[in-house]
Amino acid sequence: MRARGMEMASKDCVKVAVRVRPFNKRERDAGSRCVISMTSNNISIQDPRNPQNSRTFTFDYTYWSHSGFSRNKDGLFVPEETGGRYADQASVFLDLGQGILDNALQGYNATLLAYGQTGSGKSYSMVGYGPNKGLIPTLCERLFQSIRSMQDSRQCQVFFSMLEIYNEQVADLLSKTSRSAGGLRVREDQQRGFYVEGLRRVPCDSAVQVEQLMEQGTRTRTTAATHMNANSSRSHMLIIIQLKQIFSKECITKQSNIYLVDLAGSERQRSSGSEADRLKEGTAINLSLTTLGNVISALADMTLGKKVVHIPYRDSVLTKLLQSALGGNSRTVMIATLSPADICYEESLSTLRYAERAKRIQNKAVVNESPTERLVKELKAENAKLLLRLSRLGQEGRKADDETKELRRLLTHNELQIRAIQTLWEQHLQEALKDWETQYATITQERRMMQMHPYIMNINEDAQLSGVVKLFIQEGEWDIGLAENSSRSLCIRGLGIQEKHAVFSNQQRRVSVTPLSGSKVIVNGVPASKRIELQHLDRLVLGSNSTYLFIGFPSERSVEDWSRYDYDYFQSELAAAEGFHIQSLCDDQGRRPHQPDPSLLAVFYDYIKLMPMVTEANQMSKELKKGVEFKLEIKNLAMSDSKGHDLEKDTAVRVTSVESKQVWMWSKAKFVNRKFLMEEVYQQQVVGGDGADRAPLPRDRDPFWDPLEPLHLGSAHLWLQSLAFRIPLEEQVEVVGPEGTEEAILQAQLVPCSPTGLPLGEDDILIDPSELLGKRLDFQLVLDQCCGLRWVKEARNRGVQIGFQVFDCPQPLYTPAVWHNVNPLLDHRVQFTALRTSQELLSYLQSNALVLELWGLQEGCSEMVSCMDGVKMTQEDGIIIDKISASEHSTAESVGSDLSSSLRALHQDLEQLRNANAVLKKENGALREQLNSARNGVENNRGRQERRGSLRPSCDAEFAKALKVFYHSMTSVRGQLQRLRRHRPSEEADLLGLRLFVDEHTYLLKDFSEQLEQCVTALKQDVAAIVRRKREKSGIWS
């Protein structure tokens, strides 16, 4: 392993490592399947939707940390078997961290980048958790170990800096002062390159100091994220370790910079559909990560010999600071982390492609000489020259004395400069030690308080930031909120936090919380409006989404693992309190709760992930006075396709203007993008304090607004089976919304007709649908009226359209728009024609429904228009479907015209057949005589055949009538079945309400059973009567 690290130090190309983590709780609950496999340095990923589609990538290092591990007595994750494939933290460091350290000690700049989607294990690999220390703390420990072992041959100086880039603003995480409004500035120097002006550099002489500084930076990052309403997963964290090695004997100084970069989550917010946001995705929040991808692509193209005009280092703050790491003076390693779950396939594939481009980059690393040490050498060299000149000066009179004085003055000045430079490190180190002692005293005091008092600690989406903020609830009453002007106040910041938000009371070893007027406090998922006594490990949400875990008195605590109360636990609890949990989701789909559908689980976790974002968006809308409300919904929860199969579920956000009642429906991807844009506006106008002076945003740049578009309200199913028998169907179908609500009742007809549009009679009804094959089929879809439109009831200035798509029609068709009417008359009729009915069309009619989509229109919204491109029409203006058969029919006609010439040749054969016919006539005369002799017996049989022949048409008509009655009866039975499926008890129902529900459900079930039995019995009786009459007429008795 060590050899591999040393090998890396001898090359200048970017080294890329890939690490696969274990399933997390969310993925295990979702029943996820591993789609990643690894052999040697090759890694393959399989498309879960198409297992035959697999991609293989090759990297410098690959680490399998998904399975094959156990936890030892020290809490370390190690391979289950000696020599097992599991890659622990130690093996990752030996390959990557040791190479970074060796490069730095040799005087090279070194960079380690961690890239991957949020939650893929970047922070675990870089920082670690508990005893499983990551690359950064292990690297620092080994660095100071190396310094101590080499202190006889060199003097080493280490400076530590820590910064964060969020929304293109740089924040110093070690700064003693509050962060400036616009962040620190990035400047450029000819010798130093890009650097952060004013960034604090803290001298360190031990790994313990570095660990303390990292803890301080994490605390600052957590507090700032809460205050600025920033999402830590969208920020980049950079740790810069400057190592200076002074070799006194050799008069050589080597200086290297180690950049340790934890990049923001790389997941792409992609839409489930084809819609694109009019406001560009991510804006400044995603700019650094996007530009980094562009830089890597440009450098990779340059390595392949392609002509690259420009490398966009200057387009973002991150790429400016990483210019030396990418294509510059640095030895660079990238570790890409992956989730192996099938539900993360798209993000994992994107990460692998990104990493593959990065490994092509070549750097030009050189050993660095410190500018400061170069100055010392230059001063010493100048002093040597001055001394030489002084020694050569003789007794040359007054002029020589004057020159000697000037030389001695310059010599003294240079010596003072050298002494000042050499003493600067000791002074910095002493100042840093004083700061460290102060911080150590603060930490010691906090740990002492934890053993004495109850407290609340923050829970963050990023597990590394959880538990950083602790607010102690000592004896008495404590105000909690934005105000910090009292000695008995606990200051917290965040969206929706009031000046005085709540009061915590600690009396007689009992802790309670009392919400104040207008404030939002949630305890264990339930909103609190009055005083509530807190128990150990209670969960609190203050304001929009400030989450805290209550830790009781030391006597109440046990060895219980508190880590299970993570951010997802809080959000799941909130969702369950609103009646949304995985059991109810499975019940809605008719599934057993202990066998949840993985796709439903994925939607459930998307839902709870978006919940806090929706709450924050509502709070920002309120504070910015936008008058817009956001509501989270599940798309296609109760909807099915034309075969009756459930549609794929997805999350969506309904956006409503409170004043105008205008409604938008945003996909998950669009809402997440807009949420980041809302944060930018909020930080500028509210956090920045310039809201009153700033002009309002133009509407086309306002993330809270969008142009109006038609809204999908729901769908109804009109089953086509009756058309296979040429039986007309008239039905009232229910339009069901995405969440199972009744949106309207639609009166529709399917009418088999002649080519001219005249309805067919009962004599045209078929007993066997296969009789349609190869024949022409015409039918009309008639949409008469839409009743009880809930969409229009809510606002009378709205309208609707109905959309539908039959069989192989290339584009959906739409009815004309109707406005301002709850019960509009549609009176829309469309005729469809199949010139030669194919087996595919017949199967479609027998097993599919026509899905009628209800679309909502609003004032200012453009109406939907039927696109007739590619649609073929008959002479009677019927739309031709089943085009494959139609094309075969037209092909047959063209072939027939080609064969007309061959028909002439057949006329000659016809003459020959006429001659043969004359011979056959003679034989026919002889046969006629034989037939006359047997005429009497034949006449008796003929009479019986005639009776049977006349019986068949009448029997067919009777069968058709019986089937028609049966199909109409089954329509009402199907409606009753749908009502049974939607019939559920209220979430707030008590025991009496549940009993009433059971009684009502029993009655509906009995009614459904009776209707079904009546339909089947009537059909049996009709068929038996027809068979009996047939036997009576034919003279056959059983």
Side-chain angles (χ1 to χ4, degrees):
M1 297 292 252
R2 178 64 181 271
R4 293 171 71 185
M6 293 299 293
E7 178 191 355
M8 187 193 68
S10 64
K11 295 184 179 180
D12 292 338
C13 54
V14 172
K15 297 293 181 181
V16 178
V18 175
R19 191 178 192 185
V20 181
R21 64 157 172 78
F23 286 143
N24 58 26
K25 181 178 183 299
R26 177 183 304 181
E27 292 161 351
R28 287 195 301 270
D29 291 346
S32 296
R33 183 171 60 87
C34 180
V35 295
I36 290 178
S37 58
M38 195 178 288
T39 55
S40 184
N41 286 357
N42 298 323
I43 185 167
S44 299
I45 183 168
Q46 186 182 64
D47 188 344
R49 292 162 298 188
N50 181 14
Q52 303 302 320
N53 183 16
S54 178
R55 289 285 307 274
T56 300
F57 301 84
T58 302
F59 298 102
D60 299 285
Y61 308 100
T62 55
Y63 300 108
W64 181 263
S65 302
H66 173 63
S67 59
F69 62 92
S70 60
R71 179 180 290 189
N72 66 12
K73 61 180 181 179
D74 298 324
L76 293 173
F77 293 111
V78 295
E80 285 180 336
E81 300 176 358
T82 304
R85 65 186 303 206
Y86 176 75
D88 58 8
Q89 297 283 62
S91 61
V92 174
F93 175 80
L94 283 175
D95 281 352
L96 306 183
Q98 190 63 49
I100 291 286
L101 179 59
D102 292 343
N103 283 327
L105 292 173
Q106 292 173 28
Y108 293 101
N109 291 335
T111 304
L112 177 61
L113 301 167
Y115 181 87
Q117 72 177 104
T118 302
S120 63
K122 294 193 309 296
S123 296
Y124 179 77
S125 294
M126 294 291 280
V127 180
Y129 186 79
N132 296 278
K133 293 184 178 181
L135 286 164
I136 296 176
T138 308
L139 176 66
C140 294
E141 286 181 4
R142 300 291 177 85
L143 172 63
F144 286 102
Q145 288 176 8
S146 299
I147 289 174
R148 285 193 294 271
S149 66
M150 298 182 299
Q151 59 186 357
D152 295 336
S153 62
R154 70 193 77 177
Q155 178 192 355
C156 294
Q157 301 174 2
V158 178
F159 291 90
F160 183 89
S161 300
M162 189 173 180
L163 62 91
E164 180 184 46
I165 302 173
Y166 181 81
N167 200 21
E168 285 303 282
Q169 294 183 5
V170 179
D172 186 351
L173 297 178
L174 302 180
S175 175
K176 296 180 180 179
T177 60
S178 59
R179 51 169 82 183
S180 56
L184 300 180
R185 299 187 63 180
V186 176
R187 295 190 177 277
E188 187 177 13
D189 181 79
Q190 287 186 351
Q191 292 182 337
R192 297 171 60 187
F194 288 103
Y195 67 97
V196 179
E197 185 180 45
L199 182 67
R200 189 178 177 211
R201 298 166 63 244
V202 183
C204 301
D205 64 352
S206 70
V208 177
Q209 279 183 275
V210 171
E211 185 178 346
Q212 181 56 47
L213 289 170
M214 287 180 62
E215 187 175 332
Q216 177 189 341
T218 303
R219 183 184 298 271
T220 305
R221 192 181 183 198
T222 305
T223 306
T226 305
H227 175 56
M228 297 291 287
N229 187 41
N231 188 332
S232 62
S233 68
R234 309 297 287 187
S235 66
H236 313 279
M237 184 189 72
L238 276 74
I239 289 176
I240 305 171
I241 300 174
Q242 292 180 322
L243 172 63
K244 184 176 180 181
Q245 303 173 82
I246 303 170
F247 298 84
S248 302
K249 295 180 180 179
E250 297 86 352
C251 295
I252 296 174
T253 296
K254 294 180 180 179
Q255 179 168 306
S256 53
N257 294 328
I258 304 174
Y259 289 89
L260 305 170
V261 188
D262 189 354
L263 294 170
S266 64
E267 60 271 12
R268 301 297 299 166
Q269 298 298 338
R270 65 192 187 286
S271 170
S272 58
S274 58
E275 50 100 30
D277 197 350
R278 63 183 179 85
L279 299 179
K280 290 184 178 180
E281 178 190 339
T283 62
I285 289 177
N286 273 343
L287 180 60
S288 282
L289 206 58
T290 304
T291 307
L292 179 62
N294 295 338
V295 167
I296 288 176
S297 295
L299 291 171
D301 289 344
M302 182 183 295
T303 305
L304 294 174
K306 297 181 181 179
K307 184 177 180 182
V308 177
V309 178
H310 171 65
I311 299 174
Y313 289 115
R314 297 175 181 270
D315 289 1
S316 76
V317 169
L318 177 68
T319 48
K320 285 179 182 178
L321 296 178
L322 294 182
Q323 181 173 2
S324 63
L326 300 169
N329 178 22
S330 177
R331 296 272 173 85
T332 302
V333 177
M334 173 187 283
I335 180 168
T337 54
L338 302 177
S339 163
D342 49 4
I343 58 177
C344 299
Y345 167 77
E346 297 288 347
E347 287 83 358
S348 296
L349 179 60
S350 175
T351 300
L352 288 170
R353 287 171 173 164
Y354 201 98
E356 187 178 41
R357 291 199 303 271
K359 73 178 184 180
R360 301 193 186 114
I361 299 173
Q362 292 184 351
N363 292 346
K364 301 174 183 177
V366 296
V367 175
N368 300 291
E369 186 178 30
S370 167
T372 306
E373 200 61 27
R374 189 186 307 120
L375 176 60
V376 173
K377 288 176 64 178
E378 289 172 356
L379 289 171
K380 286 183 176 180
E382 187 176 347
N383 281 0
K385 291 179 182 178
L386 290 173
L387 289 170
L388 181 63
R389 289 181 61 185
L390 282 171
S391 65
R392 290 178 179 177
L393 286 173
Q395 299 295 330
E396 297 181 5
R398 185 175 183 83
K399 183 177 180 182
D401 292 339
D402 293 341
E403 187 174 353
T404 301
K405 289 179 181 178
E406 178 64 21
L407 290 175
R408 291 190 182 279
R409 188 188 65 78
L410 289 173
L411 190 64
T412 304
H413 177 72
N414 288 350
E415 290 289 349
L416 289 173
Q417 275 191 285
I418 292 170
R419 194 175 299 115
I421 291 171
Q422 290 177 335
T423 57
L424 194 60
W425 161 252
E426 285 78 8
Q427 292 176 2
H428 281 316
L429 189 58
Q430 291 301 319
E431 292 175 4
L433 286 172
K434 289 179 182 179
D435 289 342
W436 184 79
E437 289 172 358
T438 304
Q439 293 168 16
Y440 183 78
T442 303
I443 293 171
T444 305
Q445 175 66 15
E446 181 181 273
R447 289 173 180 169
R448 189 181 302 116
M449 296 279 285
M450 289 170 62
Q451 299 304 318
M452 297 170 58
H453 304 288
Y455 59 93
I456 58 174
M457 69 177 186
N458 76 302
I459 301 297
N460 195 281
E461 184 179 6
D462 185 346
Q464 297 289 338
L465 304 185
S466 290
V468 174
V469 177
K470 299 178 182 69
L471 301 174
F472 296 96
I473 307 168
Q474 302 179 54
E475 190 78 19
E477 291 191 345
W478 297 82
D479 295 332
I480 190 167
L482 296 173
E484 49 184 340
N485 51 8
S486 169
S487 59
R488 300 194 68 81
S489 63
L490 302 172
C491 181
I492 62 171
R493 299 186 181 277
L495 270 174
I497 301 295
Q498 310 294 322
E499 284 291 320
K500 289 188 175 181
H501 197 85
V503 176
F504 280 92
S505 174
N506 182 352
Q507 304 286 348
Q508 299 177 351
R509 295 185 65 81
R510 290 190 174 186
V511 179
S512 63
V513 59
T514 305
L516 298 181
S517 177
S519 65
K520 180 182 176 183
V521 176
I522 297 176
V523 180
N524 299 336
V526 181
S529 57
K530 58 183 180 180
R531 179 180 174 275
I532 291 183
E533 186 172 334
L534 297 178
Q535 305 296 324
H536 178 54
L537 298 183
D538 274 352
R539 284 78 58 202
L540 288 85
V541 181
L542 307 178
S544 294
N545 196 36
S546 298
T547 49
Y548 293 89
L549 184 66
F550 173 69
I551 306 300
F553 288 93
S555 59
E556 299 173 341
R557 305 170 197 170
S558 63
V559 294
E560 181 183 2
D561 185 9
W562 302 346
S563 62
R564 73 187 186 97
Y565 296 105
D566 58 5
Y567 189 78
D568 277 355
Y569 187 98
F570 276 69
Q571 301 309 323
S572 299
E573 189 173 55
L574 289 172
E578 294 180 5
F580 183 82
H581 42 77
I582 193 59
Q583 286 80 10
S584 66
L585 193 60
C586 293
D587 290 344
D588 286 342
Q589 299 301 305
R591 299 180 185 275
R592 288 176 287 178
H594 62 280
Q595 287 186 338
D597 182 352
S599 63
L600 291 179
L601 276 166
V603 170
F604 172 72
Y605 285 118
D606 272 348
Y607 189 97
I608 64 173
K609 184 177 180 181
L610 288 178
M611 274 183 60
M613 301 180 71
V614 169
T615 304
E616 292 168 2
N618 278 319
Q619 185 63 36
M620 286 189 283
S621 173
K622 181 180 178 181
E623 294 188 26
L624 295 172
K625 298 178 180 178
K626 293 293 184 179
V628 173
E629 290 182 350
F630 301 88
K631 182 187 176 187
L632 196 56
E633 295 184 355
I634 295 185
K635 188 178 177 183
N636 300 333
L637 181 61
M639 302 183 73
S640 54
D641 61 14
S642 63
K643 289 183 176 291
H645 300 154
D646 291 342
L647 291 176
E648 184 178 354
K649 312 296 180 288
D650 200 1
T651 49
V653 177
R654 177 181 287 266
V655 187
T656 306
S657 171
V658 178
E659 182 179 351
S660 66
K661 303 297 182 185
Q662 292 176 332
V663 179
W664 298 263
M665 190 64 73
W666 288 353
S667 67
K668 169 192 168 184
K670 187 171 186 176
F671 169 74
V672 170
N673 183 50
R674 290 300 181 90
K675 165 69 164 44
F676 293 135
L677 297 174
M678 294 172 198
E679 287 177 11
E680 287 187 29
V681 175
Y682 180 80
Q683 290 168 13
Q684 292 168 359
Q685 299 189 15
V686 177
V687 178
D690 57 353
D693 303 329
R694 182 179 288 271
L697 275 176
R699 195 166 69 165
D700 61 344
R701 291 177 51 203
D702 188 349
F704 291 88
W705 178 86
D706 236 9
L708 292 172
E709 296 178 347
L711 219 63
H712 183 249
L713 302 179
S715 60
H717 285 62
L718 191 63
W719 291 94
L720 302 171
Q721 191 176 18
S722 62
L723 289 177
F725 298 89
R726 291 206 296 223
I727 297 176
L729 176 67
E730 184 176 356
E731 194 168 353
Q732 289 188 344
V733 290
E734 181 183 15
V735 181
V736 179
E739 295 192 320
T741 55
E742 182 182 296
E743 297 293 331
I745 298 295
L746 184 61
Q747 297 179 4
Q749 298 181 55
L750 289 172
V751 183
C753 62
S754 66
T756 57
L758 295 176
L760 298 181
E762 293 184 352
D763 292 341
D764 297 302
I765 294 176
L766 302 176
I767 296 298
D768 185 0
S770 62
E771 296 180 40
L772 274 177
L773 291 174
K775 296 181 180 178
R776 175 166 176 155
L777 172 66
D778 293 89
F779 66 92
Q780 292 181 346
L781 170 65
V782 183
L783 301 176
D784 295 316
Q785 187 175 12
C786 206
C787 302
L789 279 167
R790 195 163 74 109
W791 171 250
V792 182
K793 286 179 184 176
E794 295 172 354
R796 289 281 181 168
N797 61 345
R798 295 173 174 173
V800 294
Q801 284 182 273
I802 307 292
F804 49 89
Q805 193 168 359
V806 178
F807 194 46
D808 57 359
C809 281
Q811 299 291 337
L813 306 174
Y814 299 97
T815 64
V818 287
W819 294 83
H820 320 305
N821 196 336
V822 178
N823 304 305
L825 288 172
L826 302 175
D827 195 22
H828 185 70
R829 185 182 298 262
V830 184
Q831 183 165 328
F832 297 93
T833 301
L835 298 177
R836 290 168 57 89
T837 304
S838 66
Q839 183 60 54
E840 290 78 8
L841 175 59
L842 187 59
S843 300
Y844 170 79
L845 295 178
Q846 290 178 307
S847 59
N848 287 57
L850 178 62
V851 181
L852 303 170
E853 307 276 0
L854 179 64
W855 292 87
L857 306 175
Q858 305 169 77
E859 285 189 346
C861 166
S862 57
E863 299 177 4
M864 293 183 293
V865 181
S866 301
C867 178
M868 304 304 287
D869 292 345
V871 176
K872 295 183 178 181
M873 309 289 290
T874 64
Q875 294 180 352
E876 299 84 8
D877 291 333
I879 296 175
I880 296 177
I881 59 174
D882 202 8
K883 295 183 183 62
I884 297 176
S885 262
S887 62
E888 289 175 355
H889 179 66
S890 60
T891 303
E893 290 181 348
S894 62
V895 171
S897 62
D898 294 337
L899 291 176
S900 59
S901 57
S902 301
L903 195 60
R904 299 190 191 96
L906 292 176
H907 281 297
Q908 299 174 358
D909 297 334
L910 184 61
E911 290 297 329
Q912 296 176 1
L913 290 173
R914 284 175 180 169
N915 297 330
N917 189 40
V919 177
L920 291 173
K921 280 183 179 179
K922 293 181 180 179
E923 295 181 4
N924 192 33
L927 290 172
R928 204 178 273 120
E929 292 178 358
Q930 296 177 12
L931 286 172
N932 288 333
S933 63
R935 183 180 298 273
N936 295 332
V938 173
E939 285 179 354
N940 294 333
N941 289 332
R942 187 184 301 162
R944 214 162 16 256
Q945 292 289 345
E946 286 175 356
R947 287 197 300 273
R948 291 179 180 175
S950 62
L951 178 64
R952 180 175 175 82
S954 62
C955 288
D956 288 351
E958 289 176 356
F959 269 122
K961 289 178 182 178
L963 282 173
K964 182 178 179 181
V965 172
F966 177 72
Y967 283 125
H968 281 295
S969 303
M970 286 303 293
T971 298
S972 61
V973 173
R974 189 183 294 114
Q976 184 73 352
L977 180 60
Q978 291 175 351
R979 283 191 290 275
L980 267 172
R981 285 176 175 171
R982 292 192 300 273
H983 187 240
R984 296 185 181 87
S986 170
E987 293 287 346
E988 297 82 15
D990 53 10
L991 184 59
L992 179 60
L994 288 174
R995 285 177 178 171
L996 291 173
F997 165 77
V998 171
D999 292 341
E1000 187 179 354
H1001 199 77
T1002 303
Y1003 171 76
L1004 289 173
L1005 193 60
K1006 181 181 178 183
D1007 187 32
F1008 168 74
S1009 177
E1010 290 176 353
Q1011 287 190 31
L1012 184 60
E1013 188 174 353
Q1014 288 174 2
C1015 292
V1016 175
T1017 302
L1019 181 62
K1020 287 180 178 178
Q1021 291 174 351
D1022 289 342
V1023 172
I1026 294 169
V1027 171
R1028 186 171 58 251
R1029 286 196 296 272
K1030 178 179 178 180
R1031 288 176 174 176
E1032 289 174 352
K1033 292 182 179 179
S1034 61
I1036 301 173
W1037 298 92
S1038 58

